[in-house]
Amino acid sequence: MTAVPVAGPASGIPNTSAGGPGAAPTLRHIAVVVPVHNEEQLLGRCLRRLQRAMDALRTGQPHCSVQLVVVLDRCTDQSAAIAEHAAHSDERIAVLAGDFGSVGAARAAGVSAALEAADHYTAEKTWLACTDADTLVPENWLTSFVRLADAGADAVAGTVEPDTASLAPGLLRAWRHNYAGQEPSTRVHGANLGVRASLYLAAGGFPALTEHEDVRLVEAIRSLGGVVLPAAHLQVTTSGRLQGRTPGGFAGYLANLKAASS
């Protein structure tokens, strides 16, 4: 690294007032992991939004530290230069480069590096926040994760909205109609996923898959009895491109939706 049904409710979190019986450990650290494969056009904006979220965390939750690990996977464009520039100007950002070969392996490598760097925090008090390089998070992204985790969530699955500027109106309407009809507990996006580190480790981490590594991780957490919270209010904006960095994934889903609605 340079610059360095569920056991528990599926649609809610336990009533665990701070300090009471069954209360979740208060978070002390958040590790943000962003896999990158040739995202020079979108990475800079993604990192700036994450920095705003980290600034908001520092203001609203000063007891909770944060580190962002940018994982460069087989990048041949200017993504490395963009990431290194951000790391040189912000000590909270670290860069990991490698030949991982899949988004699942890249996410797993980033988490391992982040947990190694934060080994003075317990896994129960460490939160993993995952997003993608073509995604913009809201300013309250990390503070929302802290609030939900401290209330008892072991994992939080937020929602996504395609960038409206890059989608034809008809496709955007089709997307919103289709997405609204989905069961909230089935919405799992690596672009907007938070997991308590202890549950992540117990579940075996992200599998080295080219896609759906996020879904497999959440399934494993549920099988362990972890509390997985669908959070419709916690929304990120991701690119509306129809050809992505994985064989299917979100871009593939939009492309199939376009074909079906044509």
Side-chain angles (χ1 to χ4, degrees), residues 38-214:
N38 290 346
E39 292 284 7
E40 62 182 6
Q41 295 183 351
L42 302 172
L43 180 58
R45 191 169 60 152
C46 167
L47 296 179
R48 288 191 292 273
R49 284 293 194 92
L50 285 167
Q51 285 175 298
R52 292 181 195 172
M54 291 192 291
D55 291 342
L57 179 70
R58 180 171 54 197
T59 299
Q61 305 282 349
H63 64 280
C64 191
S65 60
V66 63
Q67 182 191 34
L68 165 58
V69 180
V70 182
V71 187
L72 303 170
D73 184 15
R74 298 180 177 179
C75 291
T76 57
D77 64 354
Q78 292 301 305
S79 294
I82 294 168
E84 292 288 356
H85 176 76
H88 289 153
S89 62
D90 191 332
E91 62 182 8
R92 300 171 299 183
I93 301 176
V95 180
L96 176 67
D99 183 13
F100 303 109
S102 73
V103 64
R107 288 196 204 279
V111 170
S112 294
L115 293 180
E116 182 178 355
D119 61 357
H120 50 295
Y121 297 103
T122 65
E124 290 77 13
K125 296 184 178 182
T126 299
W127 189 260
L128 307 172
C130 301
T131 190
D132 289 335
D134 67 336
T135 299
L136 303 177
V137 304
E139 189 170 310
N140 69 342
W141 192 57
L142 297 177
T143 55
S144 294
F145 276 143
V146 171
R147 185 182 71 256
L148 296 171
D150 285 351
D154 295 313
V156 175
T159 60
V160 299
E161 173 82 355
D163 183 0
T164 57
S166 59
L167 282 188
L171 181 55
L172 181 59
R173 286 193 298 271
W175 154 260
R176 288 177 171 165
H177 176 76
N178 186 272
Y179 198 65
Q182 294 177 8
E183 166 61 38
S185 64
T186 67
R187 298 172 182 165
V188 177
H189 308 282
N192 191 6
L193 180 64
V195 180
R196 193 178 301 276
S198 55
L199 265 293
Y200 173 88
L201 295 171
F206 284 112
L209 301 175
T210 55
E211 57 188 37
H212 307 315
E213 77 295 337
D214 43 8

